Amino acid sequence: MSFYKLSAITALIAALLSVALMGVPELLFYLFNIEASDATYFMGRRASILFLGLALVSWQIRKISDKTIQLAVSLSFMVIMFGLAILGSIEFTLNNAGVGIFLAIITELTLGLFYLKIWREKRLHTNPT
């Protein structure tokens, strides 16, 4: 998958999550089997803005052809995706999230693997300065 396409897909997913967390957080609470509370709404609104920022970054950098920038962005998004997948797995194991978390985990692992592939390719083709 190309850096352009992966960045666009990431932007779309992050934008959808941002809208869901801000507009209908109950949907994600239900999906992940999380009890709604003042604290979950508070954290959901804050996460919404983070996802909006990730969506904008992903969308804006999708056309960048500089391999050094693609390398840095791919590494960063790879860490984000694998980190979220690991945390989701831990929370499920601790019974803090329901089986719906696996939708997120599978998506995060898939995106993380694509970013890893791009990172490895760019690393091999980028001359260190």
Side-chain angles (χ1 to χ4, degrees):
M1 181 177 304
S2 69
F3 182 80
Y4 177 91
K5 185 182 264 187
L6 184 56
S7 295
I9 290 169
T10 302
L12 176 64
I13 292 170
L16 290 172
L17 284 169
S18 176
V19 169
L21 282 167
M22 189 62 76
V24 284
E26 298 85 3
L27 176 65
L28 294 173
F29 299 162
Y30 173 77
L31 180 64
F32 297 155
N33 197 25
I34 297 170
E35 187 176 323
S37 68
D38 289 343
T40 55
Y41 282 104
F42 168 74
M43 292 306 297
R45 287 189 297 272
R46 293 184 60 78
S48 171
I49 300 305
L50 288 172
F51 278 116
L52 179 59
L54 290 174
L56 291 171
V57 167
S58 296
W59 186 255
Q60 292 298 312
I61 52 93
R62 74 191 189 288
K63 293 183 181 180
I64 289 176
S65 60
D66 183 292
K67 288 182 178 30
T68 304
I69 294 172
Q70 288 182 359
L71 185 69
V73 169
S74 295
L75 177 62
S76 299
F77 276 85
M78 179 180 60
V79 168
I80 290 168
M81 296 305 160
F82 286 150
L84 287 171
I86 290 167
L87 287 174
S89 300
I90 291 169
E91 294 301 335
F92 178 77
T93 302
L94 296 173
N95 291 320
N96 293 329
V99 295
I101 194 69
F102 283 101
L103 176 61
I105 292 169
I106 290 167
T107 302
E108 292 152 1
L109 285 175
T110 302
L111 291 173
L113 288 170
F114 278 121
Y115 278 111
L116 173 62
K117 183 177 183 293
I118 289 173
W119 178 76
R120 291 182 72 196
E121 290 170 359
K122 301 298 178 192
R123 193 179 63 156
L124 293 174
H125 296 36
T126 303
N127 295 329
T129 54

